[in-house]
Amino acid sequence: MSNYMSILGAVGIAGIAVAITGCAGSVEPPTSQMRAAESSVQQAVSSDARNFEPVLLNQAQNKLADAEELIDDEMSEENYQKALHLLEQASVDAQLAGARAETAKAKQAVEEINRNIESLRQRMNGSQ
């Protein structure tokens, strides 16, 4: 009976070790976070961030590329956490670049409108 219990215990421990090893090596890549970061970068590009905030957009793209590189390597828990952090940073950087680009475009539009108003005022004053 004691040999049977020893064998059963050894098999149980081996099974637990295999299960733990299998879990540790099979971390799923953060695909939804990757898609969100890619979408944020694409939206920033669409907002003309390349013209208004090229440094910030470039930082977002670099962080996205670094995260992709980590994901392409073995997906350990450490790489998962690093990739997740980079993806979050890339999303925020891209969103900020897009928002700043939109703000800069709005400022330009306001300046153009103000110039037009001033030009109309001058014409009206000149015709009186």
Side-chain angles (χ1 to χ4, degrees):
M1 181 79 150
S2 130
N3 282 341
Y4 177 73
M5 294 299 274
S6 296
I7 292 172
L8 187 59
V11 169
I13 291 172
I16 291 171
V18 168
I20 289 173
T21 303
C23 291
S26 63
V27 176
E28 290 294 316
T31 53
S32 64
Q33 292 88 344
M34 175 68 79
R35 283 192 299 265
E38 288 170 342
S39 176
S40 294
V41 168
Q42 198 57 29
Q43 288 174 351
V45 169
S46 297
S47 296
D48 290 334
R50 174 102 28 239
N51 296 327
F52 295 98
E53 286 292 330
V55 173
L56 194 54
L57 178 61
N58 192 40
Q59 288 174 349
Q61 290 171 323
N62 288 342
K63 289 174 184 175
L64 181 59
D66 291 347
E68 287 174 344
E69 195 172 300
L70 283 171
I71 291 168
D72 288 342
D73 289 345
E74 182 181 327
M75 197 73 242
S76 65
E77 181 64 30
E78 182 181 354
N79 280 358
Y80 175 85
Q81 292 301 326
K82 286 178 184 177
L84 193 60
H85 185 69
L86 285 169
L87 291 170
E88 289 170 356
Q89 288 181 338
S91 288
V92 170
D93 288 351
Q95 290 169 7
L96 181 57
R100 286 183 177 173
E102 291 295 333
T103 300
K105 289 191 301 186
K107 284 181 181 179
Q108 285 180 345
V110 167
E111 289 170 2
E112 179 67 25
I113 290 169
N114 286 336
R115 282 191 298 272
N116 290 339
I117 290 171
E118 187 58 35
S119 175
L120 289 171
R121 279 188 186 146
Q122 288 174 359
R123 280 193 228 161
M124 287 174 58
N125 290 337
S127 67
Q128 290 178 354

